[in-house]
Amino acid sequence: MDLHRGAGQVKDRDVSKKHLWQITEAPFQPERLSHFETLFAVGNGYLSARGAFDEPYAGASPATLVHGIFNQAEGKPVPELVNAPNWLPFQISIDGTPFSMNTGARDWIKPEGGALLGYRRALHLDSATLRREALFRAESGNTVRLRFERFASLANPHLLGQRLTIEAVDGSPHIQVNAGLDSDICNQAVQHWRSIKTVARDSCVALTATTSHSPYRIALAAHLTSSADVTASAGEKRATLCAEIQLEAGARASFDKLVALFTSRDAADPLAAAQEAVSSAAARSYDQHYQAHCARWEETWARNDVEIEGDDRAQIALRFAIYHLLIAAPRHDDDVSIGAKTLSGLGYKGHVFWDTELFILPLLTLTQPTIARNLLTYRYRRLAGARQKAQEYGYAGALFPWESTDTGLETTPKWSDPDADGLRIRIWTGESEQHINSDIAYAILQYWRWTGDDAFMLDKGAEIVLDTAVFWGERAEWKDGRYGISRQIGPDEYHENINNSVFTNRLAQWHLSQALDLLGWLGSRNPATARRLAEALDLSASRLDTWRAIIDKMHIPFDDDKQIHVQFDGFFDLEYIPVMKYEPRVGGIWGLLGHERVLGSQVIKQADVVMLMALLGEEVGSRTVMLNNFHTYYPRTDHGSSLSPSIHAWVAARLGLPDIAYEMFERAAAIDLEDRQGNVADGIHGASCGGLWQAVVFGFCGLHLTEDGPAVDPKLPAHWRRVTFNVTYRGKAHRFDVVNPAV
Ligand code: IFM
């Protein structure tokens, strides 16, 4: 079955390579319903909608997530990103038989009286369009072909489009279509919306609702264009546009639905804004809106595509990863950030982690720096929350929350949800995973080096880097003739409240030294800003002396005999468990060995010392030490976190370990597409997507900065013929064409 092509399809680059831009489901795979809902999300950086079906389907979890709309419902420990009213509903009946896919398409069983005769669905990465085609026989015996298309406009962030085309393949069916907006939606049984109001007028409907505890209002308005007459009606929680038509044999009818969505973050009166926006959008055709959307995606891919020749699977996986980051990246808003699961699922409640700064941001810094600046500004706007957290712990300076939402306060839950036996586990990351401070500083400095955006540094970046450094200056403890940091959690979260994490200590040391350099730059470049910050942040001479002492005497656990870093004090006293013995498996090793045993062992959840080597490269140690570290920690790592494989691929590539590098790359590439962690239903692993890009660009291609600008140092997998990509350095585009001479 051939999927139709919309009028504004992004121009074919090369028809024979079309499959490298598509993720396809054919036939229907009901057992992977939630997996595909996540994979098939469409979005535009303002919102994303999961790829749930347009018509009702038992077990579906439709979700549209809008950046910045959080709510903490009654009795809930933390706020969560709120599932917006559903804009997708299309209820279709053919001669009175509801179109549904609820029973097995493969078995050709009659769903609710009809029969599904064929099915194909594809996400078109080039145009960020989801298309579905179904062949359906109604109980009357008449057969129709239904084609669905949807997009979230990149040209107008508030505009969403759906086109339904129904063709009478056999017989002359009577078609009824109800296109709606539905506020009867929740986040896993938590209802966040109240004060719901619906409106129906001409061929437009609208609804508006308010979050139960936070201050947000949302409004959606929809318009339906069809050759059939359209009537509008408004119910208690839903508003519907209804169209009916009798189709001649061989004829087709289309139903174009345009939806506008606004929140009180965008407009004082979101309902009026949505109604106005949809009316003015309806003055233009669906095709015109779709063409504008495709044109913007064409520009975007011209910057962001990374072409890999010689490995189609790698090519598709990388484009898929880039796509998912681009649809979550806020283009017009510097007061929001990207959550760990992007906007494609409810996992981690939409909270923002270090995933954004160290995994996702580099791609944006190097290709879409204005979006990177938005994300860093989100942190700047939350300095007050970070200062409050530091103060609560008795320190000066700023300590960013491990999990962040709209408020800037710490929103990590203290306990996990109860398991099947009602057992809950204490979560310490909110208190102890303090390396988040240096992760953010690292991202700011990386952004500054690549963009040369001094204005950002002077206005915002420096204040973050310095005030988070103030925290470290106070937090480091003098003991036994050196400085250390106790009760930490490094990236390896299997080991809680440990002392002297190499990752944390070394990064804090690096951070303090960068902060001193930055102060030097400020003093010469803009003394007024230097004075202002010195006064505001109390950067006294004695504080700076302490920073120097900490840099000089920071305890970085190291085994001189073995010439390796020791992940934290006492790490090698723990039980050694050969992780590889438990391969192959899906999910973390916890399930097999139990929480307590893992905590008391040398099993590592994710790249930790290896992560440090990715970030600081040769600054961590000699090549011998780096290799020793890798060969020590890699076999102890169970990759229980999706953040791990891509970083291993990157570091292994740089260390000249091509087999491990490629194995880890493949593993990272499969995390979402093949659901390697078994939890893609909760949303895309945004960090892994960003890590995959870094594994290719920094790892295999060896992109780095020299005095003369960006340069590459390729170590491509043996079968890759070529990698081509673009980056922007200080406002200038650089194109790299990395060719593998051996292929
Ligand atoms: O931030 C990560 C963490 O490193 C590992 N657990 C999941 C978090 C969110 O992705």
Side-chain angles (χ1 to χ4, degrees), residues 311-372:
D311 191 337
D312 285 358
R313 268 159 39 106
Q315 174 70 86
I316 294 173
L318 186 58
R319 282 195 177 132
F320 173 81
I322 296 170
Y323 165 84
H324 268 284
L325 296 184
L326 291 176
I327 65 167
R331 286 154 178 81
H332 309 285
D333 193 342
D334 64 7
D335 206 13
V336 295
S337 188
I338 303 175
K341 300 289 184 177
T342 66
L343 290 174
S344 60
L346 305 178
Y348 289 121
K349 303 185 186 310
H351 294 184
V352 177
F353 295 68
W354 70 318
D355 305 35
T356 314
E357 279 76 16
L358 291 191
F359 292 79
I360 296 172
L361 224 115
L363 174 151
L364 298 169
T365 292
L366 272 63
T367 61
Q368 302 274 357
T370 53
I371 303 181

Side-chain angles (χ1 to χ4, degrees), residues 571-617:
F571 176 81
F572 290 106
D573 301 336
L574 300 173
E575 180 194 4
Y576 172 71
I577 296 178
V579 174
M580 300 292 178
K581 216 178 85 185
Y582 296 90
E583 296 284 352
R585 68 197 148 77
V586 174
I589 209 156
W590 265 23
L592 291 172
L593 302 181
H595 180 62
E596 291 305 322
R597 178 137 184 243
V598 172
L599 294 199
S601 78
Q602 293 177 29
V603 178
I604 301 168
K605 182 179 183 183
Q606 65 197 82
D608 187 297
V609 175
V610 171
M611 182 78 201
L612 184 68
M613 298 200 292
L615 298 179
L616 298 188

